[in-house]
Amino acid sequence: NFTEQYILAQLVARQVERQTGRPVEVVGAMGGTMAYEALRSGEIDAYVDYTGSLWKTQLRAPMPRTPAATLAGLRQHFAAENKVHVQATLGFANNYALALRRDVATAAHLNSLSDLTAQAPQRRIAGDYEIFSRDEWAQVQRGYALRFAEQRSMDPALMVPALLQGEVDLITAYTSDGRIAQLDLVLLADPQHLFPSYEALLLTGGRVAQDAAVRTALQGLAGKVSLACMQKLNFLVDHDGRSPTEAAAAFFAGACNPT
């Protein structure tokens, strides 16, 4: 239930309609776990999920340290289950990262989470309602010895304004947020790779496994949605007020093609 998912649902639907001529129904208001179970049971035929989320909810084991190993492990899990299939890796990951204003980063010489270790006790950070209770945050805190002067939880829609107005020094950001590039925010590097990868995967169920035309259509999206592209599409909705359907139409009209 967030902008990116609404856009991707429309994008997947339009791809199938354009390539096969068949109508596609878009079903909204599903959480990730509900969507996965609906896919397994045949209630829906396709949706986009993320490697980090899938690993935590389906394998429930310590995550590998590399995106490639995570994807390989998921593919092996799905193959054994034989009810869910990876039709395409779309080409981007929507990861957690710490973001700050460029002027603050430049003045404080902050380029990575390692640089933040010594400065964290003087810095204020804001995050969404979940991040500070998640295992990956605990891992990042331990790995970089981060102890902040203030740690706030707030609505994700309010975090960027709070950062721009100087109410906080850093926020936990999503790397595919379109405002990162448009507002020239700095994402701190994670040299220890402690934040897991959330690579976008197009998953399908049993009916699509038996339908070569739909599989071919969906596989045509492999690698076509880069991080810069997803940022641009998210920005169209979150900033410009366009609908997810209009953002998907912009994608097919070449909005993400190199100029």
Side-chain angles (χ1 to χ4, degrees), residues 73-247:
L74 286 169
R75 286 187 184 277
Q76 185 178 16
H77 171 75
F78 295 145
E81 188 181 59
N82 199 33
K83 289 186 178 181
V84 173
H85 309 272
V86 179
Q87 291 301 331
T89 55
L90 294 182
F92 76 96
N94 186 359
N95 297 337
Y96 273 116
L98 297 194
L100 65 165
R101 290 176 4 209
R102 184 167 296 279
D103 61 326
V104 174
T106 300
H109 305 288
L110 286 171
N111 299 297
S112 76
L113 293 174
S114 298
D115 300 330
L116 188 59
T117 300
Q119 297 189 32
Q122 291 80 47
R123 300 288 178 181
R124 302 157 298 163
I125 187 170
D128 63 36
Y129 293 125
E130 293 185 5
I131 180 61
F132 296 134
S133 63
R134 293 174 71 113
D135 291 342
E136 56 260 54
W137 178 251
Q139 182 171 271
V140 168
Q141 277 196 303
R142 287 194 302 268
Y144 293 103
L146 299 179
R147 296 292 181 271
F148 291 94
E150 184 180 353
Q151 188 168 286
R152 298 189 204 172
S153 295
M154 63 173 60
D155 188 308
L158 302 178
M159 291 196 300
V160 170
L163 182 69
L164 296 178
Q165 293 163 17
E167 296 175 15
V168 294
D169 302 302
L170 301 106
I171 60 172
T172 59
Y174 311 111
T175 56
S176 60
D177 188 329
R179 295 169 296 182
I180 290 171
Q182 295 292 335
L183 299 176
D184 195 29
L185 302 182
V186 172
L187 297 182
L188 296 181
D190 175 16
Q192 296 186 52
H193 305 289
L194 296 183
F195 274 124
S197 177
Y198 287 81
E199 187 175 359
L201 302 182
L202 177 50
L203 303 181
T204 57
R207 286 208 306 170
V208 174
Q210 308 301 319
D211 195 323
V214 174
R215 288 201 313 276
T216 298
L218 295 176
Q219 289 165 5
L221 291 173
K224 295 299 177 60
V225 187
S226 67
L227 180 59
C229 175
M230 196 68 246
Q231 288 177 338
K232 183 177 292 187
L233 298 180
N234 282 330
F235 192 78
L236 285 176
V237 176
D238 289 334
H239 184 269
D240 294 347
R242 308 281 288 278
S243 70
T245 301
E246 290 174 318

